[in-house]
């Protein structure tokens, strides 16, 4: 984006009303070209958001199939459906897929789609960077799964502990695929996070002050700040491991003076904040979605927003929580144990706010409401087991048992998958103009809810009984067979529920009931535009005076009203408005970039470069590097249309 100087003709915005003629002009300006080239070149945040969502759901299915294969292997004692090596690759790839390729990207998809609509903007701050983030994410997924398909998937767990990940213990390209793939994925996460932060600070409608932000925006913003801080730690760790394996450095090799614990520190300095990064935006979905079906604003908005930020701040200080059994000094254990237990306080604020919202509201039990409300139950179970493992003596008993697996899944499925499915039922009509089928949706919900608890609640028991995690089988003498069979049955029931959810999506895309702009009577800005939204989002720039612009007449909280039908037209080019960070006062008019294929080409170049590095293939590495450099030259080449050769930009 480029700021247009005050005083320039296009920097004096014309104010007018929303008319059909204005919409036609904006449609011609903002619409992406048709055809394959137009598809590859689109920088529309809604297109990119949908691509994130579809890709993440595909990877969710792949990761789910891997989990079912694992549960078949563990359904009874002494089974041999999988060899130990196949089991290692499957459970490592399953963790990698769900945690890195599904849980965070799916939230990026929803936020990419919804943020400008919720904030009253025309697009994200950096549309080309937004497209680059998606294409690199896709490239990283292709890179990582290429290793899996050629039999060289990660086999050291998604946490990839050393020294087992070192070359002498783990020959082959398995860990090299994983290490380089994670570095590539880190690029996507980093540029995406920077884009979210600048969008929040600059791309809001006038009057959309910090105090008027949807909680989803708070959650994604907090996660983005955390990602900018912690992703470099894990990218560095994977890069150092790759150097150890391929160039003989000795960062993690104890026999040469390296420190295996350094890996755990770097990984978990990233890993635990990452957990909050993949649940806080999902909690924001619940905080914004639940009030719609309770017909009242969220109780304790300010406390929930501050609790979101406080949770992430404390999340930076709990990484040793994962290392209590590594022999660290007692003082260190005490500090991180206290922090791990203290973090329950800001997390609990949201739980009480959701319960109060339901209690004080008039709930309408839709499918989306069921998914959001059930998340509260799952959140409490996962949170309580997390507090238990935050206690050092308890953790020493439970570490590396199935109790931890149960806790992990109550957090990641309960606080990510359930809100995401609820959010799909809530915002699918906005994205497609069609409703998902409610009857099939409720079948899907109850199948998923019962199957999930049948599958994962007993895991707490087998963990307390001493069943270790990361084992491909267990002897019959332990007496764990019947409980493991129940767990496997529950997993398949849960999978049937997920299958019903996707069947509903496919069927509703073809023949779902058509809906209006605001089928759920929602209060926030995205419901003020058509379903699906036009390429320009809003014909005129709205002016906001409250947190619930579409409920102002009903709530009667103030005399002023938001103005959604009259405002700045910004129809003399691909223009957007920049506003101040806190109070969202108009500052600049921005020239937004046109569609371009350069982000796609740069991502392909990076993919070639990383394959070249993996295979130590010099020609391929040079081709990828040179193509990437040329793509960057094209990216930064000044354009008169963006006024990039002007001496000053105001």
């Amino acid at each position: 984006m480029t700021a247009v100087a005050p005083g320039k003709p296009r920097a004096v915005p014309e104010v007018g009303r929303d008319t059909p003629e204005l919409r036609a002009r904006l449609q011609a300006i903002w619409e992406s070209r048709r055809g394959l080239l137009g598809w590859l070149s689109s920088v529309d945040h809604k297109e990119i958001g949908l691509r994130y969502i579809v890709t993440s759901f595909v990877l969710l299915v792949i990761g789910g199939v891997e989990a079912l294969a694992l549960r078949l292997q563990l359904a009874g004692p002494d089974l041999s459906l999988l060899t130990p090596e196949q089991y290692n690759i499957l459970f490592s790839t399953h963790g990698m897929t769900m945690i890195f390729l599904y849980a965070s990207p799916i939230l990026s998809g929803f936020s990419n789609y919804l943020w400008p609509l919720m904030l009253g903007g025309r697009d994200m701050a950096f549309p080309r960077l937004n497209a680059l983030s998606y294409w690199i994410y896709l490239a990283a997924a292709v890179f990582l799964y290429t290793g899996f398909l050629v039999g060289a998937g990660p086999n050291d767990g998604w946490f990839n502990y050393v020294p087992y990940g070192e070359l002498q213990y783990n020959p082959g390209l398995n860990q090299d695929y994983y290490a380089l793939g994670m570095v590539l994925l880190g690029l996507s996460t980093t540029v995406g996070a920077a884009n979210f932060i600048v969008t929040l600070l600059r791309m809001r409608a006038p009057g959309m002050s910090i105090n008027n932000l949807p909680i989803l925006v708070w959650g994604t913003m907090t996660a983005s700040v955390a990602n900018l801080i912690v992703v470099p730690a894990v990218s560095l760790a994977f890069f150092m491991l790759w150097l150890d394996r391929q160039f003989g450095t000795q960062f993690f090799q104890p026999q040469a003076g390296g420190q295996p614990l350094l890996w755990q520190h770097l990984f978990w300095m990233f890993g635990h904040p990452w957990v909050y990064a993949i649940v806080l935006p999902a909690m924001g979905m619940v905080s914004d979605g639940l009030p719609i079906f309770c017909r009242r604003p969220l109780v304790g908005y300010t406390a929930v927003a501050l609790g979101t930020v406080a949770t992430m701040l404390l999340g930076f200080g709990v990484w040793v929580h994962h290392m209590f059994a590594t022999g660290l000094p007692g003082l260190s254990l005490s500090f991180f144990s206290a922090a791990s237990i203290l973090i329950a306080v800001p997390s609990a604020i949201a739980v009480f706010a959701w319960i109060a919202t339901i209690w004080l509201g008039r709930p309408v039990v839709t499918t989306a409401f069921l998914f959001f409300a059930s998340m509260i139950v799952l959140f409490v179970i996962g949170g309580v087991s997390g507090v238990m493992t935050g206690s050092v003596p308890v953790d020493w008993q439970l570490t590396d048992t199935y109790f931890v697996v149960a806790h992990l899944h109550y957090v990641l499925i309960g606080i990510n998958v359930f809100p995401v499915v609820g959010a799909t039922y809530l915002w699918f009509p906005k994205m497609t103009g069609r409703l998902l089928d409610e009857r099939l949706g409720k079948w899907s919900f109850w199948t998923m809810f019962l199957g999930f608890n049948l599958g994962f609640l007993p895991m707490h028991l087998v963990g307390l009984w001493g069943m270790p995690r990361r084992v491909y089988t267990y002897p019959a003498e332990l007496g764990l067979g019947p409980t493991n069979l129940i767990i496997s049955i529950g997993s398949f029931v849960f999978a049937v529920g997920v299958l019903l959810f996707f069947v509903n999506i496919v069927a509703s895309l073809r023949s779902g009931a058509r809906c209006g702009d605001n089928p759920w009577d929602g209060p926030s800005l995205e419901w003020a535009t058509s379903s699906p939204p036009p390429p320009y989002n809003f014909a005129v720039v709205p002016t906001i005076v409250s947190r619930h612009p579409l409920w102002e007449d009903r709530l009667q909280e103030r005399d002023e009203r938001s103005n959604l039908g009259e405002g700045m037209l910004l129809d003399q080019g691909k223009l957007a408005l920049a506003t101040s960070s806190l109070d969202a006062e108009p500052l600049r008019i921005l020239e937004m970039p046109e569609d371009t294929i350069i982000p796609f080409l740069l991502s392909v170049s990076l993919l070639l470069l990383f394959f070249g590095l993996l295979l130590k293939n010099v020609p391929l590495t040079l081709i990828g590097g040179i193509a990437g450099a040329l793509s960057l030259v094209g990216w930064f080449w000044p354009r008169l249309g963006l006024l990039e050769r002007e001496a000053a930009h105001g």
Side-chain angles (χ1 to χ4, degrees), residues 17-25 539-540 565:
R17 296 196 63 80
D18 181 355
T19 64
E21 293 76 18
L22 173 64
R23 288 174 177 254
R25 288 198 300 277
V540 298

Side-chain angles (χ1 to χ4, degrees), residues 327-583:
L328 293 173
L331 181 62
S332 171
L333 300 187
S334 299
F335 172 83
F336 285 100
S337 176
S340 301
I341 294 172
L342 183 63
I343 204 169
V345 176
S347 305
I349 291 174
V351 173
F352 288 114
W354 297 328
I355 294 172
T357 301
I358 296 173
W359 183 263
L360 297 173
R362 292 175 287 114
V364 179
V365 184
T366 62
T367 304
F369 174 86
L370 288 172
F371 276 102
F372 292 147
S374 64
M375 175 268 197
I376 302 173
V377 177
L378 305 179
F379 184 18
V380 170
I381 296 174
V384 169
S385 59
V387 171
M388 292 172 67
T389 57
S391 167
V392 175
V394 178
D395 183 80
W396 282 349
Q397 297 298 316
L398 298 176
T399 192
D400 284 343
T401 71
Y402 257 84
F403 187 93
V404 179
V405 180
H407 161 68
L408 176 70
H409 284 85
Y410 266 89
V411 171
L412 296 183
I413 296 180
I415 318 179
N416 183 290
V417 174
F418 274 75
V420 163
V421 175
T424 305
Y425 278 93
L426 172 59
W427 281 298
F428 183 88
K430 177 54 60 183
M431 297 172 178
T432 66
R434 294 180 183 271
L435 292 164
L436 284 167
D437 185 85
E438 277 291 304
R439 175 179 294 181
L440 189 54
K442 287 176 180 172
W443 273 101
S444 169
F445 165 75
W446 286 111
T447 311
M448 286 178 65
F449 184 76
L450 295 174
F452 174 75
N453 285 287
L454 184 64
F456 291 95
L457 203 57
M459 277 190 187
H460 294 95
L461 286 177
V462 294
L464 290 170
W465 293 337
M467 180 171 174
R469 60 192 294 200
R470 306 161 189 160
V471 293
Y472 90 106
T473 190
Y474 50 90
E477 294 75 23
L478 291 178
L480 299 172
T483 311
N484 269 296
L485 180 60
I486 292 172
I487 292 171
S488 295
I489 291 171
S491 301
F492 276 85
V493 173
F494 178 68
V496 170
V498 175
L499 177 63
L500 291 176
F501 165 63
F502 287 118
V503 167
N504 199 350
I505 288 179
V506 174
S508 298
L509 280 173
R510 294 170 59 90
S511 57
R514 294 192 179 278
C515 63
D517 297 345
N518 191 1
W520 308 117
D521 189 22
S524 44
L525 269 185
E526 77 272 23
W527 302 109
T529 188
S530 61
S531 302
Y536 48 88
N537 291 350
F538 299 95
V540 298
V541 178
T543 303
I544 306 303
V545 299
S546 75
R547 203 174 293 151
H548 308 98
L550 303 190
W551 282 1
E552 288 169 355
D553 289 337
R554 185 183 315 169
L555 297 177
Q556 296 291 325
E557 293 175 327
R558 60 178 67 209
D559 295 332
E560 301 95 341
R561 292 288 183 269
S562 299
N563 193 343
L564 309 183
E566 184 177 1
M568 298 182 200
L569 301 180
L570 302 184
D571 60 341
Q572 299 176 38
K574 203 168 183 180
L575 303 178
L577 183 69
T579 52
S580 61
S581 302
L582 294 180
D583 297 325

